Amino acid sequence: MIKITEHPLNPDDITSTVFSNEAGAVNVFIGTVRATTQDKKVVRLEFETYLNMAIKEIEKIIEAMKNKWPVHHVVVHHRIGTLTVGEIAVVIAVSSPHRKEAFAACQYAIDTLKETVPIWKKEIFEDGEVWVSAHP
Amino acid sequence: MIKITEHPLNPDDITSTVFSNEAGAVNVFIGTVRATTQDKKVVRLEFETYLNMAIKEIEKIIEAMKNKWPVHHVVVHHRIGTLTVGEIAVVIAVSSPHRKEAFAACQYAIDTLKETVPIWKKEIFEDGEVWVSAHP
Amino acid sequence: MEVEILAFGITRDIVEGNTFRISLNEGTSVATLKELLYQTYPRMKQLRSLRVAVNNEYVDEEVVLSGKEEIALIPPVSGG
Amino acid sequence: MEVEILAFGITRDIVEGNTFRISLNEGTSVATLKELLYQTYPRMKQLRSLRVAVNNEYVDEEVVLSGKEEIALIPPVSGG
């Protein structure tokens, strides 16, 4: 259900685990490494995590989703380590009886993950590097 | 980009075509056949379409998405013919620079498809059948 | 003039065929066609909606038919 | 008491290590710990936010440290 790994993520494997005969809707969010940030060319990203706490915070997100919406299954996989342009950093898949709550729950999951889960990314450019969002 | 087919849909093949090095976000909606509708057990669904017009209407949806949001790629595949419980009826995949517009555009696509695209489904139960949404 | 009309979904069941033919006066509008259909096939009146597509496009009910178009009945759609 | 603190992201760069040790008076709160950190590492003041996690949970700044907890600095997160 939750995985934080240095290995490449496979959206299809993740998505296939949320299907359910009682769910009519599946929504999947995939976050990838963009080639440019604020007009600067990205060479690679480096992700690190505070693993135990990150798992706990993702568990809280999933619990909140299940309280807010009638979701059947939720899977959250996040990659850490070094990623190059185009690689997948995060996959979130949600199944629910109807589409509206699948979209809402999946969007809640990625929005909240970006606020609370202790994972950090450093963008490495050709001429320097920056911890994303660290400064105002 | 658009396909209406009697063959099973493969979400992974569809999703992989929307990735882009300039897109940081991909959102995928997958609609599947639910085992029950209003407490009645579904045996199978039969989808039919007015093919040329359906393609045209989906083209209009994609054009509207590209006007409303900075989406990079959109793919819409819909299955027709006979589907059994758990099978995939529709897959919509959208890529965009940021996540907010990927969610919004994908949700717009499925919402609009359900209003305008000439595809019809008949639910077959153990004791009868009904054209979905035909009557008030 | 006599036109051929394509029927889909529940309208296909109502007219008992993928297509049917109907006689129209010259200058018949889509609105008038729908009235005729409701008279001939009263079950169509019970539908949640009934749109008419002309040459693969939804059209306003004021549109006048020439008899050369591809005309289709679009009962409530339910894809997805 | 002396406590070991875990540092992540940009705070790991600032303290130049994955962990560091700091001496605290008994009954030090998280708020006081943060003040001490800002004095020792002025660059931490420039961060958009700095949260402290105790035993893998975000805690309020009034929480008093016993010295037996796992304490971690959480600069602005940027997963996803």
Side-chain angles (χ1 to χ4, degrees), chain B residues 107-124:
Chain B
Q107 189 155 16
Y108 169 86
I110 182 64
D111 287 352
T112 311
L113 180 148
K114 284 174 166 277
E115 283 172 10
T116 65
V117 177
I119 296 174
W120 297 270
K121 68 174 163 238
K122 190 160 64 172
E123 287 172 337
I124 289 93

PDB file of all heavy atoms in Angstrom, chain B residues 107-124:
ATOM      1  N   GLN B 107     -10.608  15.588 -15.186  1.00  0.00           N
ATOM      2  CA  GLN B 107     -11.976  15.534 -14.668  1.00  0.00           C
ATOM      3  C   GLN B 107     -12.957  16.173 -15.659  1.00  0.00           C
ATOM      4  O   GLN B 107     -14.043  15.651 -15.887  1.00  0.00           O
ATOM      5  CB  GLN B 107     -12.051  16.232 -13.307  1.00  0.00           C
ATOM      6  CG  GLN B 107     -13.397  16.020 -12.628  1.00  0.00           C
ATOM      7  CD  GLN B 107     -13.329  16.135 -11.113  1.00  0.00           C
ATOM      8  OE1 GLN B 107     -12.363  16.649 -10.561  1.00  0.00           O
ATOM      9  NE2 GLN B 107     -14.345  15.641 -10.444  1.00  0.00           N
ATOM     10  N   TYR B 108     -12.538  17.285 -16.252  1.00  0.00           N
ATOM     11  CA  TYR B 108     -13.368  17.905 -17.292  1.00  0.00           C
ATOM     12  C   TYR B 108     -13.628  16.914 -18.428  1.00  0.00           C
ATOM     13  O   TYR B 108     -14.741  16.813 -18.950  1.00  0.00           O
ATOM     14  CB  TYR B 108     -12.664  19.162 -17.825  1.00  0.00           C
ATOM     15  CG  TYR B 108     -13.292  19.734 -19.064  1.00  0.00           C
ATOM     16  CD1 TYR B 108     -14.356  20.631 -18.989  1.00  0.00           C
ATOM     17  CD2 TYR B 108     -12.832  19.363 -20.332  1.00  0.00           C
ATOM     18  CE1 TYR B 108     -14.943  21.130 -20.142  1.00  0.00           C
ATOM     19  CE2 TYR B 108     -13.413  19.869 -21.481  1.00  0.00           C
ATOM     20  CZ  TYR B 108     -14.473  20.750 -21.385  1.00  0.00           C
ATOM     21  OH  TYR B 108     -15.051  21.241 -22.517  1.00  0.00           O
ATOM     22  N   ALA B 109     -12.589  16.189 -18.811  1.00  0.00           N
ATOM     23  CA  ALA B 109     -12.714  15.268 -19.952  1.00  0.00           C
ATOM     24  C   ALA B 109     -13.750  14.185 -19.679  1.00  0.00           C
ATOM     25  O   ALA B 109     -14.634  13.943 -20.505  1.00  0.00           O
ATOM     26  CB  ALA B 109     -11.363  14.638 -20.274  1.00  0.00           C
ATOM     27  N   ILE B 110     -13.670  13.545 -18.517  1.00  0.00           N
ATOM     28  CA  ILE B 110     -14.624  12.456 -18.263  1.00  0.00           C
ATOM     29  C   ILE B 110     -16.022  13.014 -18.003  1.00  0.00           C
ATOM     30  O   ILE B 110     -17.023  12.451 -18.467  1.00  0.00           O
ATOM     31  CB  ILE B 110     -14.136  11.511 -17.130  1.00  0.00           C
ATOM     32  CG1 ILE B 110     -15.117  10.357 -16.908  1.00  0.00           C
ATOM     33  CG2 ILE B 110     -13.863  12.240 -15.838  1.00  0.00           C
ATOM     34  CD1 ILE B 110     -15.252   9.413 -18.092  1.00  0.00           C
ATOM     35  N   ASP B 111     -16.114  14.159 -17.308  1.00  0.00           N
ATOM     36  CA  ASP B 111     -17.438  14.766 -17.078  1.00  0.00           C
ATOM     37  C   ASP B 111     -18.108  15.118 -18.407  1.00  0.00           C
ATOM     38  O   ASP B 111     -19.299  14.870 -18.595  1.00  0.00           O
ATOM     39  CB  ASP B 111     -17.314  16.036 -16.221  1.00  0.00           C
ATOM     40  CG  ASP B 111     -17.005  15.735 -14.760  1.00  0.00           C
ATOM     41  OD1 ASP B 111     -17.032  14.548 -14.370  1.00  0.00           O
ATOM     42  OD2 ASP B 111     -16.711  16.684 -14.011  1.00  0.00           O
ATOM     43  N   THR B 112     -17.352  15.720 -19.311  1.00  0.00           N
ATOM     44  CA  THR B 112     -17.916  16.154 -20.587  1.00  0.00           C
ATOM     45  C   THR B 112     -18.217  14.959 -21.491  1.00  0.00           C
ATOM     46  O   THR B 112     -19.248  14.917 -22.164  1.00  0.00           O
ATOM     47  CB  THR B 112     -16.971  17.149 -21.283  1.00  0.00           C
ATOM     48  OG1 THR B 112     -16.592  18.148 -20.335  1.00  0.00           O
ATOM     49  CG2 THR B 112     -17.651  17.830 -22.463  1.00  0.00           C
ATOM     50  N   LEU B 113     -17.309  13.989 -21.477  1.00  0.00           N
ATOM     51  CA  LEU B 113     -17.550  12.768 -22.269  1.00  0.00           C
ATOM     52  C   LEU B 113     -18.893  12.153 -21.906  1.00  0.00           C
ATOM     53  O   LEU B 113     -19.662  11.743 -22.775  1.00  0.00           O
ATOM     54  CB  LEU B 113     -16.406  11.774 -22.026  1.00  0.00           C
ATOM     55  CG  LEU B 113     -16.460  10.436 -22.764  1.00  0.00           C
ATOM     56  CD1 LEU B 113     -15.036   9.932 -23.072  1.00  0.00           C
ATOM     57  CD2 LEU B 113     -17.208   9.355 -22.004  1.00  0.00           C
ATOM     58  N   LYS B 114     -19.198  12.134 -20.605  1.00  0.00           N
ATOM     59  CA  LYS B 114     -20.455  11.518 -20.155  1.00  0.00           C
ATOM     60  C   LYS B 114     -21.678  12.342 -20.523  1.00  0.00           C
ATOM     61  O   LYS B 114     -22.807  11.847 -20.450  1.00  0.00           O
ATOM     62  CB  LYS B 114     -20.412  11.289 -18.635  1.00  0.00           C
ATOM     63  CG  LYS B 114     -19.546  10.093 -18.256  1.00  0.00           C
ATOM     64  CD  LYS B 114     -19.415   9.982 -16.751  1.00  0.00           C
ATOM     65  CE  LYS B 114     -18.856   8.618 -16.360  1.00  0.00           C
ATOM     66  NZ  LYS B 114     -19.888   7.568 -16.292  1.00  0.00           N
ATOM     67  N   GLU B 115     -21.467  13.599 -20.909  1.00  0.00           N
ATOM     68  CA  GLU B 115     -22.598  14.442 -21.304  1.00  0.00           C
ATOM     69  C   GLU B 115     -22.798  14.519 -22.809  1.00  0.00           C
ATOM     70  O   GLU B 115     -23.919  14.690 -23.276  1.00  0.00           O
ATOM     71  CB  GLU B 115     -22.381  15.877 -20.790  1.00  0.00           C
ATOM     72  CG  GLU B 115     -22.666  16.040 -19.325  1.00  0.00           C
ATOM     73  CD  GLU B 115     -22.260  17.419 -18.828  1.00  0.00           C
ATOM     74  OE1 GLU B 115     -21.939  18.297 -19.664  1.00  0.00           O
ATOM     75  OE2 GLU B 115     -22.235  17.606 -17.598  1.00  0.00           O
ATOM     76  N   THR B 116     -21.714  14.460 -23.568  1.00  0.00           N
ATOM     77  CA  THR B 116     -21.819  14.810 -24.985  1.00  0.00           C
ATOM     78  C   THR B 116     -21.453  13.702 -25.974  1.00  0.00           C
ATOM     79  O   THR B 116     -21.893  13.758 -27.121  1.00  0.00           O
ATOM     80  CB  THR B 116     -20.898  16.007 -25.318  1.00  0.00           C
ATOM     81  OG1 THR B 116     -19.533  15.614 -25.126  1.00  0.00           O
ATOM     82  CG2 THR B 116     -21.211  17.213 -24.443  1.00  0.00           C
ATOM     83  N   VAL B 117     -20.657  12.735 -25.556  1.00  0.00           N
ATOM     84  CA  VAL B 117     -20.146  11.774 -26.548  1.00  0.00           C
ATOM     85  C   VAL B 117     -21.162  10.660 -26.779  1.00  0.00           C
ATOM     86  O   VAL B 117     -21.600  10.004 -25.821  1.00  0.00           O
ATOM     87  CB  VAL B 117     -18.785  11.203 -26.102  1.00  0.00           C
ATOM     88  CG1 VAL B 117     -18.298  10.149 -27.094  1.00  0.00           C
ATOM     89  CG2 VAL B 117     -17.762  12.333 -25.980  1.00  0.00           C
ATOM     90  N   PRO B 118     -21.578  10.461 -28.040  1.00  0.00           N
ATOM     91  CA  PRO B 118     -22.614   9.463 -28.314  1.00  0.00           C
ATOM     92  C   PRO B 118     -22.120   8.031 -28.140  1.00  0.00           C
ATOM     93  O   PRO B 118     -21.747   7.356 -29.100  1.00  0.00           O
ATOM     94  CB  PRO B 118     -23.049   9.776 -29.744  1.00  0.00           C
ATOM     95  CG  PRO B 118     -21.896  10.489 -30.359  1.00  0.00           C
ATOM     96  CD  PRO B 118     -21.208  11.222 -29.244  1.00  0.00           C
ATOM     97  N   ILE B 119     -22.117   7.624 -26.897  1.00  0.00           N
ATOM     98  CA  ILE B 119     -21.838   6.237 -26.511  1.00  0.00           C
ATOM     99  C   ILE B 119     -22.946   5.881 -25.526  1.00  0.00           C
ATOM    100  O   ILE B 119     -23.330   6.698 -24.692  1.00  0.00           O
ATOM    101  CB  ILE B 119     -20.453   6.098 -25.846  1.00  0.00           C
ATOM    102  CG1 ILE B 119     -19.347   6.458 -26.847  1.00  0.00           C
ATOM    103  CG2 ILE B 119     -20.250   4.679 -25.297  1.00  0.00           C
ATOM    104  CD1 ILE B 119     -17.948   6.501 -26.239  1.00  0.00           C
ATOM    105  N   TRP B 120     -23.474   4.678 -25.674  1.00  0.00           N
ATOM    106  CA  TRP B 120     -24.579   4.260 -24.814  1.00  0.00           C
ATOM    107  C   TRP B 120     -24.255   2.933 -24.174  1.00  0.00           C
ATOM    108  O   TRP B 120     -23.647   2.070 -24.796  1.00  0.00           O
ATOM    109  CB  TRP B 120     -25.867   4.103 -25.645  1.00  0.00           C
ATOM    110  CG  TRP B 120     -26.313   5.377 -26.267  1.00  0.00           C
ATOM    111  CD1 TRP B 120     -27.162   6.295 -25.728  1.00  0.00           C
ATOM    112  CD2 TRP B 120     -25.927   5.894 -27.545  1.00  0.00           C
ATOM    113  NE1 TRP B 120     -27.334   7.353 -26.578  1.00  0.00           N
ATOM    114  CE2 TRP B 120     -26.590   7.132 -27.717  1.00  0.00           C
ATOM    115  CE3 TRP B 120     -25.104   5.443 -28.570  1.00  0.00           C
ATOM    116  CZ2 TRP B 120     -26.448   7.919 -28.859  1.00  0.00           C
ATOM    117  CZ3 TRP B 120     -24.948   6.221 -29.711  1.00  0.00           C
ATOM    118  CH2 TRP B 120     -25.621   7.449 -29.837  1.00  0.00           C
ATOM    119  N   LYS B 121     -24.682   2.774 -22.922  1.00  0.00           N
ATOM    120  CA  LYS B 121     -24.464   1.462 -22.293  1.00  0.00           C
ATOM    121  C   LYS B 121     -25.759   0.894 -21.756  1.00  0.00           C
ATOM    122  O   LYS B 121     -26.603   1.607 -21.210  1.00  0.00           O
ATOM    123  CB  LYS B 121     -23.386   1.509 -21.228  1.00  0.00           C
ATOM    124  CG  LYS B 121     -23.665   2.281 -19.974  1.00  0.00           C
ATOM    125  CD  LYS B 121     -22.522   2.077 -18.955  1.00  0.00           C
ATOM    126  CE  LYS B 121     -22.576   3.142 -17.893  1.00  0.00           C
ATOM    127  NZ  LYS B 121     -21.347   3.914 -17.807  1.00  0.00           N
ATOM    128  N   LYS B 122     -25.890  -0.394 -21.971  1.00  0.00           N
ATOM    129  CA  LYS B 122     -27.036  -1.140 -21.457  1.00  0.00           C
ATOM    130  C   LYS B 122     -26.521  -2.051 -20.358  1.00  0.00           C
ATOM    131  O   LYS B 122     -25.536  -2.765 -20.561  1.00  0.00           O
ATOM    132  CB  LYS B 122     -27.654  -1.966 -22.595  1.00  0.00           C
ATOM    133  CG  LYS B 122     -28.972  -2.590 -22.267  1.00  0.00           C
ATOM    134  CD  LYS B 122     -29.764  -2.963 -23.524  1.00  0.00           C
ATOM    135  CE  LYS B 122     -29.066  -4.026 -24.357  1.00  0.00           C
ATOM    136  NZ  LYS B 122     -29.966  -4.491 -25.458  1.00  0.00           N
ATOM    137  N   GLU B 123     -27.140  -1.949 -19.202  1.00  0.00           N
ATOM    138  CA  GLU B 123     -26.769  -2.850 -18.104  1.00  0.00           C
ATOM    139  C   GLU B 123     -27.652  -4.080 -18.162  1.00  0.00           C
ATOM    140  O   GLU B 123     -28.887  -3.962 -18.208  1.00  0.00           O
ATOM    141  CB  GLU B 123     -26.964  -2.149 -16.755  1.00  0.00           C
ATOM    142  CG  GLU B 123     -25.904  -1.097 -16.480  1.00  0.00           C
ATOM    143  CD  GLU B 123     -26.193  -0.255 -15.246  1.00  0.00           C
ATOM    144  OE1 GLU B 123     -27.360  -0.157 -14.830  1.00  0.00           O
ATOM    145  OE2 GLU B 123     -25.235   0.332 -14.715  1.00  0.00           O
ATOM    146  N   ILE B 124     -27.003  -5.238 -18.140  1.00  0.00           N
ATOM    147  CA  ILE B 124     -27.763  -6.486 -18.158  1.00  0.00           C
ATOM    148  C   ILE B 124     -27.675  -7.122 -16.769  1.00  0.00           C
ATOM    149  O   ILE B 124     -26.587  -7.415 -16.272  1.00  0.00           O
ATOM    150  CB  ILE B 124     -27.244  -7.461 -19.241  1.00  0.00           C
ATOM    151  CG1 ILE B 124     -27.614  -6.915 -20.625  1.00  0.00           C
ATOM    152  CG2 ILE B 124     -27.879  -8.837 -19.080  1.00  0.00           C
ATOM    153  CD1 ILE B 124     -26.599  -6.079 -21.271  1.00  0.00           C
TER     154      ILE B 124
END
